[in-house]
Structures are given as C-alpha cells and as structure tokens.
Amino acid sequence: DAKTTQPNSMESNEEEPVHLPCNHSTISGTDYIHWYRQLPSQGPEYVIHGLTSNVNNRMASLAIAEDRKSSTLILHRATLRDAAVYYCILSYNYGGSQGNLIFGKGTKLSVKP
Amino acid sequence: DTGVSQDPRHKITKRGQNVTFRCDPISEHNRLYWYRQTLGQGPEFLTYFQNEAQLEKSRLLSDRFSAERPKGSFSTLEIQRTEQGDSAMYLCASSLEGRPNQPQHFGDGTRLSIL
C-alpha cells in the first residue's frame, strides 16, 4: 500500500488559514488522495478527496502537486472546532467506493484562540 | 441520514470473557467496515462486508474475532476469550457502492477496556 508522510503536529491561530502538508512520493496513477479528520472522542470524518486537480468543498480545499507526490489540505479560516487529527490517505477507486482505508498517525492540529 | 450508530459506546469486561458489539450503518449503504484504533494510532482495518458477504479480513482479525452481517443491514463483531491487547476503540463505517469514491461514514466507536 502506498504510504503517506505527515508532520506529527501543527499549530494555528483561530480565523487564520491552515495548510496541512502530505507527502506521498510512491503514489500510483490510480491512487486517489483522501483526507479525513478525527475530533476527540469521535470517529473519523470525511473531509475531501481528489485525483489530479485541485478540489474545493464547503469544508476545505485540496491542492495537489503537478507530479502528485505531495498535496496540501487548506482550511481557509481555522476555528476551534477544527482542532483534530487530520489523516492523509491514498486509495484507489475500489468498485465505486474508497476501499479499505490505510490510516497513518496523521497530523494533530491545535487551534489557539 | 441518521448516521452510523454503534452500541455499546463503552464496554468494560474481565479478561477471558466474550464481548459483542453492534453496528447499524446508514440504511442504504451496502458496504460496511470494521476498524480498530489504539491510543495514539490511526484506525486499522479489520474486515469489510458488501451486503451480507464478508469480502476481506485483515491479518489483525485473529480466530478469536468473528464478524457477521446476516441480512446485509446491521453487523456484529464478537471477540471471544478477550485479552489485554484487545483493549481499543472499535469503529464501524459504511459506504455506498456504485458511485465513484463514495466516502466512508464512521460511527463514534465502541471503547473496549479489558480488566
């Protein structure tokens, strides 16, 4: 399974943008890049995914490098509720769904008021 | 969309006892996954079902573990003869097959503590 590398932790100030990086140098052509986050005492929550082009949704933006070996999750204005562990995951389009997700340790994001 | 629900939220039991957890997926979702998460780690895949068929099992799923999804709706995960190392959060997720890259929706898990 393709691996991802993320910083263990990051800090942000409330209402400022946050850029969470992810390296995936061994990504294959069929791997999608997914981001999930996990708030304390909750199950993971889907954030966004993409293949080659940058993606935006109501929660975040995903910027994918041209060579696809890295990506960045962008939270445009961090709130206290965004404090969570963020996971960057690779998986192929497995029969129409995401297949089994291989989680790493993720990046623990702290947001300061 | 009432979300994925798991029951119980917490379970404390003595070593050697059997435990069973239940997961109710989102009603129209035909895929159901079980994961295990220990403190400070990301979730680890255990097994998944498509409708009532169990299609894949991780090496983590020892013979003390068994999962069922008898009518393709709710699922149960049973652990027999529990051990200290089974203490973890057990997460269930569901997704919809057939449309590209449908995300997995997770429940809030069952936390198992072995005394």
Side-chain angles (χ1 to χ4, degrees):
Chain A
D1 298 307
K3 284 188 65 174
T4 63
T5 305
Q6 300 177 254
N8 289 334
S9 62
M10 290 183 65
E11 275 190 355
S12 172
N13 294 318
E14 197 176 11
E15 300 197 2
E16 290 186 355
V18 182
H19 290 233
L20 296 162
C22 180
N23 287 320
H24 29 78
S25 57
T26 59
I27 190 170
S28 75
T30 53
D31 283 333
Y32 281 75
I33 302 157
H34 306 272
W35 285 82
Y36 281 73
R37 72 180 186 181
Q38 188 171 22
L39 278 65
S41 302
Q42 294 187 21
E45 173 188 29
Y46 168 78
V47 178
I48 200 166
H49 77 270
L51 183 62
T52 56
S53 304
N54 294 345
V55 185
N56 300 300
N57 67 20
R58 63 175 179 81
M59 289 181 72
S61 296
L62 176 60
I64 302 173
E66 199 170 326
D67 63 6
R68 301 209 325 124
K69 293 186 177 181
S70 65
S71 61
T72 302
L73 179 70
I74 302 165
L75 307 178
H76 295 286
R77 287 181 70 219
T79 68
L80 296 178
R81 197 195 170 278
D82 292 323
V85 178
Y86 286 78
Y87 297 99
C88 170
I89 302 165
L90 303 182
S91 78
Y92 57 92
N93 185 11
Y94 186 76
S97 64
Q98 291 177 349
N100 312 326
L101 299 175
I102 310 296
F103 289 82
K105 290 189 176 182
T107 296
K108 184 173 182 179
L109 176 66
S110 303
V111 180
K112 295 184 290 185
Chain B
D1 180 350
T2 56
V4 177
S5 64
Q6 294 189 243
D7 183 70
R9 291 295 312 275
H10 304 275
K11 179 71 177 177
I12 301 172
T13 191
K14 293 182 179 178
R15 188 170 48 131
Q17 298 294 304
N18 299 344
V19 293
T20 300
F21 311 138
R22 177 180 170 122
C23 171
D24 286 272
I26 293 171
S27 58
E28 65 269 25
H29 285 185
N30 54 356
R31 288 202 173 186
L32 186 148
Y33 305 79
W34 285 99
Y35 292 83
R36 182 175 72 183
Q37 185 174 26
T38 54
L39 205 59
Q41 306 294 318
E44 297 171 291
F45 167 74
L46 292 178
T47 187
Y48 94 91
F49 293 83
Q50 182 165 311
N51 301 311
E52 66 275 9
Q54 188 173 16
L55 295 187
E56 189 170 343
K57 291 194 281 189
S58 159
R59 291 170 300 178
L60 294 175
L61 211 67
S62 76
D63 56 7
R64 296 185 299 105
F65 288 68
S66 62
E68 293 183 344
R69 194 182 183 199
K71 296 183 180 178
S73 57
F74 73 92
S75 176
T76 58
L77 178 68
E78 182 184 15
I79 310 174
Q80 296 183 327
R81 304 181 304 280
T82 52
E83 301 173 355
Q84 293 279 354
D86 297 332
S87 294
M89 175 76 81
Y90 290 84
L91 293 160
C92 176
S94 68
S95 70
L96 186 64
E97 184 203 5
R99 294 174 60 190
N101 269 286
Q102 287 296 296
Q104 294 185 22
H105 298 256
F106 284 81
D108 287 335
T110 294
R111 180 167 296 283
L112 174 65
S113 299
I114 307 296
L115 301 176

